[in-house]
Amino acid sequence: MSNYVFLGPPGAGKGTLGELFSRRMGLVHISTGALLREEMSSGSELGLQVKDLISKGGLVSDQIVSAMIAKRLSQPDVLRQGCLLDGYPRTAAQADSLQEILNENQRSLEAAVLIDAERQLLVTRLSARRVCSNKDCGAIYNVQTKPPLKEGVCDRCSSALYQRSDDSEQTARERLRVYEEQTAPLIEYYRQRQLLVITYSKDVEAEENYRCLCEALRQAGKANRGCCAKNKV
Ligand SMILES: [Zn+2]
């Protein structure tokens, strides 16, 4: 059971690749956002704390997120199958916590995979997003990669689509700047520990990006347990 961390800028397709990778490798896919929502709806003590914090407009602390991760990583499915972490760790301090959590469970990290992409591609992707204005639908489109059948209209519910202000080009650049500033120390953290594997996602089919990811892992000697069996090009 190998454990992986996936990192990468917004728009690089970390979510899609992460899902593909965990499904094919039989890993438990753990995203911090989903975990927070599950924890809140479970009504656990931790979940109630989080709910309380968010309702007061506060930020969920490192400590709470790490506690939640610790709880999740000690569950039988993760111990048996290994996992892929998406959205955690975000800082070097959290990376230390993750190390401790894995040690306590007699587990280790196989690799921290950075899914990177050309900056211009990211800006284009991030500003190409359109969202359905119907709150109950919430469908997401991309005018380049996943356009609606009729321009400006939701396929599912026929409501108008709009561009969220945080999806504009200027905002996209700002998000990338913030990402780089925050994530640089984390990338360095894993580089120093020889756990960092970098792959570049391109504007191609997900399958092609997946193949590149596997190749990068193989070259780094991090593709154990017969994962990423040579698939046809
Ligand atoms: Zn809709």
Side-chain angles (χ1 to χ4, degrees):
M1 34 7 206
S2 306
N3 300 288
Y4 295 85
V5 163
F6 270 32
L7 316 163
K14 175 163 60 86
T16 312
L17 263 184
E19 246 166 62
L20 213 55
F21 187 71
S22 46
R23 196 166 62 225
R24 294 193 180 161
M25 291 265 303
L27 302 169
V28 179
H29 191 205
I30 302 173
S31 105
T32 322
L35 201 55
L36 269 169
R37 287 189 293 273
E38 274 165 35
E39 196 71 52
M40 284 190 282
S41 60
S42 78
S44 69
E45 200 180 319
L46 205 57
L48 293 175
Q49 268 183 50
V50 172
K51 218 173 192 168
D52 189 47
L53 257 172
I54 292 179
S55 71
K56 286 177 184 153
L59 283 174
V60 183
S61 67
D62 260 25
Q63 207 186 352
I64 289 185
V65 178
S66 294
M68 224 171 53
I69 295 284
K71 188 173 156 190
R72 187 66 188 91
L73 292 196
S74 58
Q75 280 161 7
D77 57 341
V78 176
L79 294 176
R80 198 172 52 236
Q81 296 163 242
C83 71
L84 184 161
L85 285 166
D86 180 350
Y88 184 93
R90 284 198 192 279
T91 61
Q94 286 187 348
D96 274 333
S97 304
L98 174 61
Q99 213 56 55
E100 281 168 30
I101 295 167
L102 289 169
N103 286 345
E104 275 165 26
N105 290 308
Q106 280 106 48
R107 295 293 183 272
S108 63
L109 191 65
E110 187 69 25
V113 183
L114 172 61
I115 317 285
D116 214 336
E118 295 284 344
R119 286 300 166 268
Q120 189 49 52
L121 175 64
L122 293 175
V123 169
T124 309
R125 277 192 191 159
L126 289 172
S127 42
R129 195 152 73 149
R130 298 293 181 274
V131 188
C132 177
S133 56
N134 173 1
K135 292 270 177 296
D136 294 329
C137 170
I140 295 171
Y141 299 87
N142 185 301
V143 290
Q144 290 190 325
T145 57
K146 192 194 163 203
L149 295 171
K150 189 172 171 218
E151 199 186 322
V153 180
C154 181
D155 293 348
R156 267 199 247 161
C157 72
S158 302
S159 303
L161 301 180
Y162 74 106
Q163 181 176 34
R164 283 187 355 195
S165 60
D166 58 356
D167 288 337
S168 72
E169 180 166 338
Q170 197 192 351
T171 319
R173 291 192 188 280
E174 178 58 18
R175 273 175 77 188
L176 290 172
R177 197 192 58 75
V178 170
Y179 156 81
E180 263 154 32
E181 208 174 277
Q182 286 178 344
T183 318
L186 192 57
I187 292 173
E188 200 41 46
Y189 179 99
Y190 285 123
R191 196 194 304 278
Q192 280 172 9
R193 287 160 181 78
Q194 271 131 38
L195 287 169
L196 187 70
V197 174
I198 304 177
T199 181
Y200 279 84
S201 106
K202 299 185 192 68
D203 224 352
V204 293
E205 297 276 318
E207 207 54 52
E208 175 66 15
N209 281 326
Y210 181 78
R211 202 187 55 77
C212 290
L213 160 67
C214 291
E215 188 54 39
L217 283 168
R218 257 198 304 274
Q219 280 183 12
K222 304 284 188 194
N224 66 350
R225 210 185 57 172
C227 92
C228 317
K230 288 246 181 215
N231 37 8
K232 53 276 162 211
V233 180

